[in-house]
């Protein structure tokens, strides 16, 4: 019976890998026309329905009930499979199909709304997505707080009560520290010196350098690739076909560099998953907090360190010799660790202001789930919190409530808290290593 469990779940996982590939294609190279978007949404909805049928089948249920196994990984695999089956069988197939279609349409609407800097273009599909999320939460965890039910999909066992013990303490300590940093002058290493990461840098050369850095950090290009998308992400078909993306700015080297290193961390975790159990629950990411711990360990613990500045300087001098002639590792280190003022965009922020971006989003998600915040009020609430937490005046939706891709693809609520949880895990992992 246990072999039947593994066979059915393995088949479902292979179809999920094709769904992942279709999702990557949609975000990276799919034609931008309405017809392509509708066709992809319909295809993803059909595929999601087929996968759901496999993962809720009577055959799988019987095999799970009869299965016995030995060995720590197999026992864990069976436990996770039973938990997933119990949750999946509470959700009707039609809801799964509709969610897949709405999330695909949500991404397309978000791209257009972001380009126009007009939240009203995105609000209708976000409302659909939120209502579906609430309905699903009521089914999979009846009687449980809806936010907790959604959060559990990203960070098993985490609750808003626990977040409310952790996040306010960090927020209250960081906010005054940021104000003190802002009151200080430029870092000594940058006094009288131009920030070497600012200027004009050929985007194609940035892409070539980013690829080389990813390889030197351990990314296996025979099992993955690096491309460009509106918002950086890591996806693909599993450990042997990992697709990561980043984005570049001609006038800011830091965005492409940190984006690449962050996604490389995700990709290394994916490529390092257990080969023996590929396609099985026990081989999947333990949680998004753990996943983010790996991306942030590389982006923050490693890439912002002094030793890494020496490595990075050699790469920059080889790619942009004129721009980095005479630049010291200390200057580069200071530039990489500058606290942004203003800190407007989450993915461009520094490690000091970053948590406040997460707390803002988490508080908004809590309000959306308990009904105290309406979708149409999100831009105003966002701008209000950005001013209160970071002293930033948001002038348009693209730089405010529309800056992140997550809500468009159904990651509402629950994903954002895992970034700060992941950074906490990363620090402990790094200090223990």
């Amino acid at each position: 019976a246990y072999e039947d469990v593994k066979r059915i779940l393995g088949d479902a996982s292979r179809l999920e890998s094709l769904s992942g590939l279709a999702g990557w294609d949609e975000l990276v190279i799919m034609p931008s026309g309405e017809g392509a978007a509708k066709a992809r949404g319909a295809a993803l909805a059909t595929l999601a329905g087929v996968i759901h049928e496999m993962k809720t089948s009577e055959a799988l249920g019987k095999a799970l009930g009869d299965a016995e196994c030995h060995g720590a990984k197999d026992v864990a695999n069976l436990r996770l499979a039973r938990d997933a089956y119990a949750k999946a069988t509470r959700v009707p197939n039609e809801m799964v199909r509709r969610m897949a279609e709405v999330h695909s349409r949500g991404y397309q609407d978000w791209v257009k709304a972001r380009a126009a800097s007009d939240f009203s273009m995105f609000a209708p599909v976000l409302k659909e997505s939120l209502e579906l999320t609430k309905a699903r939460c009521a089914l999979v965890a009846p009687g449980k707080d809806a936010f907790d039910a959604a959060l559990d999909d990203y960070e098993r066992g985490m609750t808003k009560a626990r977040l409310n013990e952790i996040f306010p303490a960090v927020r209250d300590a960081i906010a005054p520290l940021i104000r003190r940093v802002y009151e200080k002058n430029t870092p000594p290493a940058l006094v009288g010196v131009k920030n070497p990461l600012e200027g004009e840098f050929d985007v194609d050369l940035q892409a070539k350098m980013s690829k080389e850095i990813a390889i030197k950090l351990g990314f296996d290009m025979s099992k993955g690739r690096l491309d460009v998308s509106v918002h950086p992400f890591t996806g693909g078909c599993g450990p042997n076909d990992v697709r990561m993306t980043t984005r570049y700015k001609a006038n800011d080297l830091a965005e492409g560099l940190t984006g690449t290193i962050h996604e490389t961390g995700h990709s290394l975790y994916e490529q390092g998953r257990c080969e023996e159990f590929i396609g099985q629950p026990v081989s999947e990411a333990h949680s998004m907090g753990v996943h983010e711990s790996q991306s942030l360990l590389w982006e923050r613990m490693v890439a912002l360190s002094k030793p890494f500045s020496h490595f990075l300087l050699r790469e920059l001098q080889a790619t942009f010799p004129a721009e980095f002639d005479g630049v010291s590792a200390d200057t580069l280190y200071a530039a990489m660790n500058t606290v942004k003022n203003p800190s407007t965009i989450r993915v461009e922020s520094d490690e000091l202001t970053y948590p406040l971006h997460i707390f803002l989003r988490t508080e908004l998600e809590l309000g959306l789930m308990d009904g105290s915040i309406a979708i149409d009020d999100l831009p105003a609430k966002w701008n209000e919190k950005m001013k209160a937490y970071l002293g930033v005046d948001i002038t348009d939706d693209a730089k405010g409530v529309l800056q992140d891709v997550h809500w468009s693809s159904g990651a509402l609520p629950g994903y954002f808290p895992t970034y700060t949880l992941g950074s906490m895990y990363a620090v402990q992992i790094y200090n223990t290593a």
Side-chain angles (χ1 to χ4, degrees):
Y2 180 54
E3 289 304 314
D4 290 334
V5 170
K6 292 200 294 182
R7 175 181 54 78
I8 296 170
L9 292 180
D11 288 344
S13 177
R14 283 181 277 277
L15 289 181
E16 286 176 326
S17 74
L18 292 179
S19 179
L21 181 60
W24 168 86
D25 177 89
E26 181 178 19
L27 274 60
V28 178
I29 59 174
M30 190 181 80
S32 59
E34 291 286 344
K38 288 182 179 179
R40 182 57 51 85
L44 287 171
T46 298
L47 187 53
V50 172
I51 293 168
H52 187 70
E53 287 173 358
M54 295 175 68
K55 298 177 84 169
T56 58
S57 67
E58 290 185 7
L60 178 58
K62 184 178 186 309
L64 286 168
D66 295 340
E68 294 181 2
C69 60
H70 306 283
K73 289 182 181 177
D74 287 301
V75 170
N77 192 53
L78 185 56
R79 182 186 71 248
L80 291 170
R82 284 170 171 160
D83 289 346
Y85 184 81
K87 184 178 287 189
T89 51
R90 296 186 181 119
V91 183
N93 193 275
E94 180 55 37
M95 178 179 284
V96 171
R97 289 172 177 260
R98 188 178 169 215
M99 289 177 76
E101 186 278 325
V102 168
H103 297 163
S104 177
R105 177 158 45 90
Y107 174 74
Q108 300 300 329
D109 287 357
W110 170 75
V111 170
K112 295 171 187 172
R114 185 174 180 271
S117 192
D118 183 357
F119 179 75
S120 67
M121 296 171 62
F122 176 54
V125 73
L126 186 58
K127 291 176 183 177
E128 284 187 71
S129 182
L130 179 63
E131 289 309 310
L132 280 169
T133 295
K134 288 181 177 180
R136 178 185 175 277
C137 288
L139 291 172
V140 300
K144 187 175 183 179
D145 180 86
F147 183 89
D148 286 349
L151 180 60
D152 194 70
D153 288 336
Y154 300 100
E155 198 68 14
R156 288 197 300 268
M158 184 58 65
T159 64
K160 68 178 183 182
R162 181 62 177 137
L163 291 181
N164 284 334
E165 292 174 346
I166 302 169
F167 284 6
V170 178
R171 180 194 64 208
D172 295 344
I174 286 179
L177 178 57
I178 292 172
R179 288 193 292 271
R180 291 202 301 273
V181 171
Y182 282 172
E183 291 169 359
K184 288 182 174 290
N185 295 322
T186 303
L190 292 180
V191 172
V193 179
K194 175 181 175 293
N195 187 324
L197 298 174
E198 298 173 355
E200 287 297 321
F201 304 95
D202 183 86
V203 170
D204 290 334
L205 289 177
Q206 287 190 56
K208 182 176 181 294
M209 179 182 65
S210 290
K211 182 177 178 180
E212 290 301 316
I213 289 174
I215 291 171
K216 289 177 179 178
L217 293 181
F219 184 67
D220 186 347
M221 285 291 176
S222 72
K223 296 180 179 180
R225 56 182 292 137
L226 172 62
D227 292 278
V228 174
S229 64
V230 177
H231 194 288
F233 73 95
T234 295
C237 299
N240 292 308
D241 186 359
V242 179
R243 311 293 178 96
M244 65 171 170
T245 71
T246 189
R247 65 188 185 196
Y248 305 100
K249 280 186 176 179
N251 63 351
D252 184 3
L253 270 176
E255 178 157 355
L257 285 170
T258 57
T260 296
I261 295 168
H262 180 98
E263 299 306 330
T264 297
H266 280 305
S267 298
L268 292 176
Y269 183 52
E270 284 294 309
Q271 290 186 340
R273 282 164 47 195
C274 180
E275 285 277 349
E276 180 186 356
F277 283 86
I278 285 179
Q280 300 300 309
V282 78
S283 176
E284 295 172 3
H286 180 73
S287 72
M288 283 315 304
V290 171
H291 223 309
E292 292 299 342
S293 79
Q294 298 308 288
S295 60
L296 292 165
L297 186 147
W298 284 98
E299 180 192 355
R300 301 278 172 78
M301 306 296 102
V302 176
L304 297 185
S305 69
K306 283 190 174 182
F308 191 84
S309 294
H310 290 273
F311 159 78
L312 182 58
L313 182 59
R314 291 193 296 271
E315 300 297 316
L316 290 167
Q317 288 174 334
T319 306
F320 300 105
E323 291 83 352
F324 282 86
D325 180 39
V327 174
S328 69
D330 284 344
T331 298
L332 179 60
Y333 172 74
M336 289 290 289
N337 285 277
T338 298
V339 176
K340 297 291 183 70
N341 185 14
S343 179
T344 305
I345 307 297
R346 177 185 63 86
V347 297
E348 299 174 12
S349 66
D350 53 275
E351 62 180 340
L352 184 57
T353 60
Y354 190 94
L356 294 185
H357 287 276
I358 299 305
F359 301 153
L360 176 154
R361 289 155 175 78
T362 300
E363 290 167 12
L364 292 177
E365 290 184 346
L366 284 164
L368 289 172
M369 291 301 283
D370 68 19
S372 61
I373 296 177
I375 292 288
D376 291 333
D377 294 332
L378 273 177
K381 291 291 185 181
W382 181 290
N383 298 351
E384 176 186 306
K385 288 181 179 291
M386 282 294 291
K387 182 65 174 179
Y389 288 173
L390 290 161
V392 176
D393 291 308
I394 299 297
T395 56
D396 61 81
D397 290 344
K399 292 180 180 177
V401 71
L402 290 173
Q403 66 177 258
D404 292 308
V405 69
H406 304 62
W407 290 347
S408 75
S409 56
L412 169 68
Y415 193 118
F416 281 118
T418 68
Y419 283 109
T420 292
L421 294 171
S423 67
M424 293 174 176
Y425 304 159
V427 170
Q428 295 174 74
I429 292 168
Y430 184 78
N431 286 341
T432 303

